[in-house]
Amino acid sequence: MSSGGLKDRNSETLEDVNAVTKELKYLYYKRLLPIEKQYGFQHFHSPSFEEADFDNKPMVLVMGQYSTGKTTFIRYLLEQDFPGSRVGPEPTTDSFTAIMHGEVEQLIPGNALSVDHKKPFRHLNSFGNTFLNRFQCALLPNQVLESISIIDTPGILSSAKRRMSRGYDFPAVLRWFAERVDHIILLFDAHKLEFSDELTRAFGALCGYEDKLRVVLNKADRVDSQQLMRVYGALMWSLGKVFQTPEILRVYIVSLWSQPRLLSDHCQLLELEELDLLADIRNLPRNAAVRKLNDLVKRARLVRAHAHIINHLKQEMPTLFCKESKKQNLIYKLPLIFSKIQQQQRVPAGDFPDCAKMQERLMGQDFTKFKTLKPSLMASLDKLLSNDIAKLMPLLHQQDLKKASLPGIPDGTFLEPSWSLFEQVTKSGVSREMQNDEWVVTKDKQKYDEIFYNLCPNEGKLSGTKAKEWMVSTHLPNSVLGHIWRLSDVDCDGMLDDEEFALAIHLIEAKLEGHGLPGELPAHLVPPSKRLHKGLAV
């Protein structure tokens, strides 16, 4: 597929997403928000949605214990560092960082974010200054961030550090994000599989959002197959105890970094698992409208149950005397009240909030100020759930037929048919002064040429198959090699001549030495014969 065709299909998909989002926004403000305000839903559950909650890009929450590779995974997706990132074996990330698209690189502190109506973070100010001082937004120009945003989180503390206080309600912050993001990537280290107290509490914050959860067993190339089997079994057993659900969570076994993988007899498994995970992330923009609709329906059903609870409590309160004792008695009997509402109003049990948390929040409320049901509001809510949402399904079906992926995310493949996807090589131009400058690859060109001609080029060029056979021997991840191919195939003909092959080796060696790869090919790396190419010259 040509890059222009891919761009057009992404544009069509975004138009469909925007159409569904616009209608969801209208339905929320017309049908659901009035009921939330009538019965104080925001005081018991989550704050009301704002414009930014509907308009923001799909978000991915990355979490896990410290040193599991969270920040490295994000760098792997973006193929570049982001402002404020640090990597190390000790706890290096002590803040929540929202990584979003911006024209220039900059860091925005949390207090400024909490008052920006264009960002979906205004309600985070309820967690106080201690949290806001540990929250920031990193803006940078990146193709991946044009379609999604990523939330990096502090490393979850181990049992040895469980008594340390963060100064804010960490599980509550995680739950706030879990409600709003599209995917939750939970990383574990295959070397130190440990379930600490804070990790267990963090799991509790994710209850109800298991459909968004993607569990990743990272650094799996550093253990042999026998150890990997045991670690995988232990992880599944531990997850089964925490998430008490009959569904089995999907666990991806990968090594998400751009360094060479260690040789093992399960290398092919790692490549296939990486393919599945990256494909899941690439489909986020296409599934954004479905996720927003699903979250709105889930919220509407919770609002309906909440309204019936508030109405019942209001009707049970006395007019004059013994109000406080009656309030305490109603709170104590809340489980029985839930059962009564289920039977009388035919509200499914799964629509009710957590009973213990509801009891805790009711303690500080004045029941006499609660309001009784308004038939018109409840009829409007029933219409939302029964008719309005159903009318949006044809739009979602049309969107699902247009299979557009997220541009920029590594696809994990390094196969000849997929190289046509990498045709967006930079054509930013080369100055006439640069045309006469010495090429930085020249000093090692003779050595690279020896490898090139040993691979038996045909008419001065190596086919994709032959180049691939040599490149994969470096043991770099396929997604990294695919990026190197995209940079090296300057004329986009699906083959490499001697200069392009020399450039590919130069980039591979730089990566093996720990250097990052550019998003686009810098002018000084363009092979001399390509600097006069019609598409590159200025």
Side-chain angles (χ1 to χ4, degrees):
M1 181 192 301
S2 66
S3 58
L6 181 61
K7 183 177 181 180
D8 291 341
R9 289 175 66 177
N10 277 318
S11 300
E12 291 174 0
T13 300
L14 289 176
E15 288 176 6
D16 290 333
V17 171
N18 292 335
V20 176
T21 300
K22 184 178 179 180
E23 186 64 22
L24 286 175
K25 191 188 307 183
Y26 169 78
L27 292 175
Y28 175 75
Y29 285 119
K30 181 181 179 181
R31 306 267 189 223
L32 198 55
L33 184 58
I35 305 176
E36 290 185 13
K37 291 181 177 180
Q38 177 78 4
Y39 302 108
F41 182 82
Q42 69 277 8
H43 300 307
F44 296 88
H45 307 287
S46 58
S48 303
F49 285 163
E50 296 185 342
E51 293 274 344
D53 292 308
F54 289 97
D55 298 335
N56 70 299
K57 301 165 187 173
M59 291 194 293
V60 178
L61 180 69
V62 182
M63 57 180 290
Q65 292 178 292
Y66 72 89
S67 192
T68 55
K70 297 184 300 298
T71 304
T72 303
F73 168 53
I74 296 173
R75 288 169 56 182
Y76 183 59
L77 290 180
L78 302 181
E79 295 183 340
Q80 69 175 99
D81 288 324
F82 57 90
S85 64
R86 290 190 300 130
V87 175
E90 76 286 357
T92 53
T93 303
D94 62 348
S95 301
F96 282 82
T97 303
I99 307 155
M100 310 181 79
H101 185 268
E103 297 302 323
V104 294
E105 288 193 13
Q106 61 174 315
L107 272 176
I108 304 176
N111 282 286
L113 278 175
S114 66
V115 296
D116 187 352
H117 68 278
K118 294 183 180 180
K119 299 284 191 299
F121 306 121
R122 280 164 46 88
H123 292 301
L124 283 171
N125 55 19
S126 62
F127 294 105
N129 275 331
T130 305
F131 166 73
L132 292 177
N133 291 334
R134 289 286 181 267
F135 179 50
Q136 59 188 358
C137 179
L139 300 179
L140 69 158
N142 185 281
Q143 188 182 18
V144 173
L145 298 177
E146 291 177 3
S147 300
I148 65 171
S149 299
I150 303 174
I151 310 296
D152 192 12
T153 62
I156 296 174
L157 301 177
S158 64
S159 57
K161 298 179 171 60
R162 65 181 182 273
R163 297 187 179 182
M164 294 178 62
S165 173
R166 295 183 183 271
Y168 60 89
D169 193 341
F170 181 67
V173 174
L174 286 179
R175 186 165 185 83
W176 189 94
F177 278 109
E179 182 180 1
R180 288 159 176 80
V181 301
D182 296 78
H183 268 8
I184 304 170
I185 305 293
L186 177 59
L187 286 104
F188 289 93
D189 189 336
H191 285 88
K192 51 185 183 71
L193 195 61
E194 179 183 12
F195 278 65
S196 63
D197 293 345
E198 187 173 57
L199 182 61
T200 303
R201 290 194 297 271
F203 283 157
L206 303 181
C207 287
Y209 303 103
E210 291 85 357
D211 58 320
K212 301 180 180 181
L213 190 61
R214 305 293 185 270
V215 181
V216 175
L217 185 59
N218 200 17
K219 306 180 184 179
D221 64 323
R222 265 50 182 176
V223 297
D224 60 36
S225 296
Q226 185 180 29
Q227 292 172 321
L228 179 61
M229 181 182 65
R230 291 173 176 170
V231 170
Y232 178 82
L235 176 60
M236 294 299 292
W237 181 78
S238 300
L239 290 173
K241 289 200 308 180
V242 176
F243 294 102
Q244 297 179 359
T245 172
E247 293 85 6
I248 298 176
L249 291 173
R250 173 70 158 93
V251 177
Y252 296 90
I253 305 172
V254 294
S255 287
L256 294 170
W257 51 13
S258 56
Q259 302 302 318
R261 293 195 176 103
L262 296 183
L263 286 176
S264 64
D265 50 2
H266 54 266
C267 282
Q268 185 177 6
L269 170 66
L270 302 185
E271 296 290 355
L272 294 174
E273 291 285 281
E274 181 182 338
L275 278 173
D276 289 347
L277 178 60
L278 295 180
D280 193 25
I281 297 174
R282 284 200 314 277
N283 287 332
L284 272 177
R286 192 175 71 227
N287 298 329
V290 179
R291 173 63 62 190
K292 290 177 181 178
L293 186 146
N294 182 69
D295 288 345
L296 184 67
V297 171
K298 187 185 298 185
R299 186 181 182 94
R301 296 173 72 93
L302 179 60
V303 168
R304 181 177 60 181
H306 174 79
H308 283 296
I309 295 169
I310 296 300
N311 174 69
H312 184 92
L313 295 176
K314 173 66 176 179
Q315 291 181 340
E316 292 292 321
M317 285 296 290
T319 306
L320 296 175
F321 305 108
C322 304
K323 293 182 180 179
E324 189 61 30
S325 60
K326 183 62 175 179
K327 170 185 171 181
Q328 297 299 327
N329 186 47
L330 287 172
I331 294 175
Y332 176 74
K333 292 183 176 180
L334 194 61
L336 297 177
I337 294 174
F338 279 14
S339 299
K340 189 175 182 180
I341 294 174
Q342 289 176 37
Q343 296 173 3
Q344 293 180 349
Q345 306 298 333
R346 296 183 179 179
V347 178
D351 292 355
F352 283 83
D354 181 87
C355 189
K357 292 182 179 179
M358 190 69 179
Q359 287 174 317
E360 180 182 346
R361 288 163 184 162
L362 284 170
M363 294 296 294
Q365 299 294 323
D366 184 355
F367 287 15
T368 61
K369 295 182 178 180
F370 288 171
K371 298 179 181 179
T372 57
L373 285 182
K374 292 184 66 175
S376 60
L377 288 179
M378 298 308 293
S380 179
L381 179 57
D382 290 338
K383 185 178 180 181
L384 169 68
L385 291 171
S386 60
N387 297 329
D388 296 333
I389 296 298
K391 292 178 181 178
L392 290 179
M393 299 311 295
L395 273 178
L396 291 175
H397 180 65
Q398 292 175 15
Q399 172 205 325
D400 192 52
L401 293 176
K402 299 173 181 178
K403 303 293 185 181
S405 298
L406 170 59
I409 287 283
D411 66 356
T413 60
F414 189 44
L415 304 173
E416 190 167 3
S418 70
W419 287 335
S420 60
L421 298 177
F422 299 125
E423 291 181 358
Q424 299 175 16
V425 176
T426 176
K427 291 182 174 56
S428 57
V430 181
S431 66
R432 300 194 182 279
E433 290 78 5
M434 282 294 300
Q435 293 176 9
N436 296 322
D437 286 352
E438 182 180 356
W439 189 33
V440 295
V441 185
T442 302
K443 57 183 175 60
D444 295 314
K445 180 71 162 49
Q446 185 176 356
K447 178 179 65 175
Y448 300 155
D449 282 347
E450 184 177 349
I451 301 174
F452 178 79
Y453 289 108
N454 283 337
L455 294 174
C456 302
N458 182 23
E459 296 182 357
K461 291 194 174 185
L462 280 178
S463 66
T465 303
K466 288 184 178 180
K468 173 190 172 183
E469 289 176 357
W470 183 86
M471 294 174 73
V472 296
S473 67
T474 63
H475 306 302
L476 285 171
N478 285 348
S479 55
V480 176
L481 294 177
H483 182 53
I484 290 174
W485 176 274
R486 176 174 66 84
L487 295 173
S488 303
D489 187 13
V490 180
D491 53 15
C492 303
D493 63 352
M495 296 183 289
L496 300 182
D497 61 22
D498 61 316
E499 288 186 338
E500 291 173 326
F501 185 75
L503 173 61
I505 301 181
H506 176 79
L507 294 173
I508 288 173
E509 290 183 346
K511 192 63 191 174
L512 292 173
E513 291 172 2
H515 301 290
L517 293 174
E520 296 184 346
L521 191 64
H524 70 278
L525 285 180
V526 177
S529 65
K530 302 298 186 293
R531 295 178 183 177
L532 296 177
H533 189 275
K534 183 178 179 180
L536 293 175
V538 294

